Amino acid sequence: MPNTDVPSDYVPSDDEEFMNERQREYFRKKLQDWKGSLLADSKDTLSHLQTETVSLPDVADRASAETDKNIELRARDRQRKLISKIDAALRRIEDGSYGYCDETGEPISLGRLMARPVATLSLEAQERHERSERIHRDD
């Protein structure tokens, strides 16, 4: 897919053809930038965890440090899962399926994609999915 230069102030609009080349390039860049930011944060977390191996004599301080490490590791795991979703979205851009609901095949609104670029369901399909989860969780 050829790269199209998208002006830095470009914002996708409903007035355009859905998922035209400019929109795909806009979302590709948005996803790549987001992934780059997450990877940089991950490196910072790993660096921080590696340098913070100081043995603390106070039990409360050690417990607090362990809690902090666990929180950082959980955040890192969430980032890893998000990076996987970003990679999947980038693949969908390449294969032409990005921006279309996995359930209905209908376009996902630009507003939803702007807010959640890794979205795979339209708002309506996502709401149905969440209602279904609540019902099954209550069983």
Side-chain angles (χ1 to χ4, degrees), residues 52-71:
E52 195 168 297
T53 57
V54 177
S55 179
L56 299 169
D58 184 67
V59 175
D61 288 343
R62 276 198 311 265
S64 178
E66 276 301 309
T67 299
D68 291 347
K69 275 187 185 178
N70 285 334
I71 290 169

Side-chain angles (χ1 to χ4, degrees), residues 3 12 16 23 26 36 47 49 53 63 65 75-76 80 84 92 94 104 106-107 110 116-117 126 129-130:
N3 272 354
E16 305 171 79
Q23 287 184 358
Y26 171 86
S47 173
L49 289 173
T53 57
R76 171 114 168 73
R80 181 187 56 79
S84 176
R92 288 192 308 277
E94 292 306 314
T104 66
E106 295 295 314
L110 288 174
R116 184 83 178 147
Q126 182 68 39
H129 179 72
E130 289 173 3

Side-chain angles (χ1 to χ4, degrees), residues 37-49:
S37 173
L38 290 170
L39 289 172
D41 288 349
S42 292
K43 286 179 186 172
D44 289 346
T45 298
L46 287 176
S47 173
H48 179 257
L49 289 173

Side-chain angles (χ1 to χ4, degrees), residues 2-139:
N3 272 354
T4 302
D5 284 334
V6 178
S8 60
D9 62 346
Y10 170 75
V11 177
S13 162
D14 289 326
D15 296 337
E16 305 171 79
E17 177 188 345
F18 186 72
M19 279 304 125
N20 62 52
E21 184 62 33
R22 283 174 61 146
Q23 287 184 358
R24 286 191 305 270
E25 188 58 31
Y26 171 86
F27 285 109
R28 179 184 294 111
K29 180 167 179 11
K30 185 177 185 82
L31 288 160
Q32 288 170 336
D33 290 349
W34 192 12
K35 180 180 176 180
S37 173
L38 290 170
L39 289 172
D41 288 349
S42 292
K43 286 179 186 172
D44 289 346
T45 298
L46 287 176
S47 173
H48 179 257
L49 289 173
Q50 289 170 348
T51 59
E52 195 168 297
T53 57
V54 177
S55 179
L56 299 169
D58 184 67
V59 175
D61 288 343
R62 276 198 311 265
S64 178
E66 276 301 309
T67 299
D68 291 347
K69 275 187 185 178
N70 285 334
I71 290 169
E72 282 191 58
L73 289 172
R74 278 196 306 263
R76 171 114 168 73
D77 189 52
R78 281 193 305 274
Q79 287 176 335
R80 181 187 56 79
K81 290 174 183 173
L82 184 52
I83 288 169
S84 176
K85 288 180 180 183
I86 290 171
D87 287 340
L90 289 167
R91 285 191 300 275
R92 288 192 308 277
I93 287 173
E94 292 306 314
D95 72 18
S97 63
Y98 181 80
Y100 295 91
C101 179
D102 283 354
E103 192 173 289
T104 66
E106 295 295 314
I108 298 171
S109 74
L110 288 174
R112 177 158 169 74
L113 290 172
M114 299 282 283
R116 184 83 178 147
V118 295
T120 59
L121 298 173
S122 67
L123 186 58
E124 297 79 15
Q126 182 68 39
E127 287 172 346
R128 278 194 307 275
H129 179 72
E130 289 173 3
R131 275 194 303 275
S132 174
E133 279 184 347
R134 272 193 299 263
I135 290 169
H136 294 313
R137 192 176 15 200
D138 293 342
D139 287 346

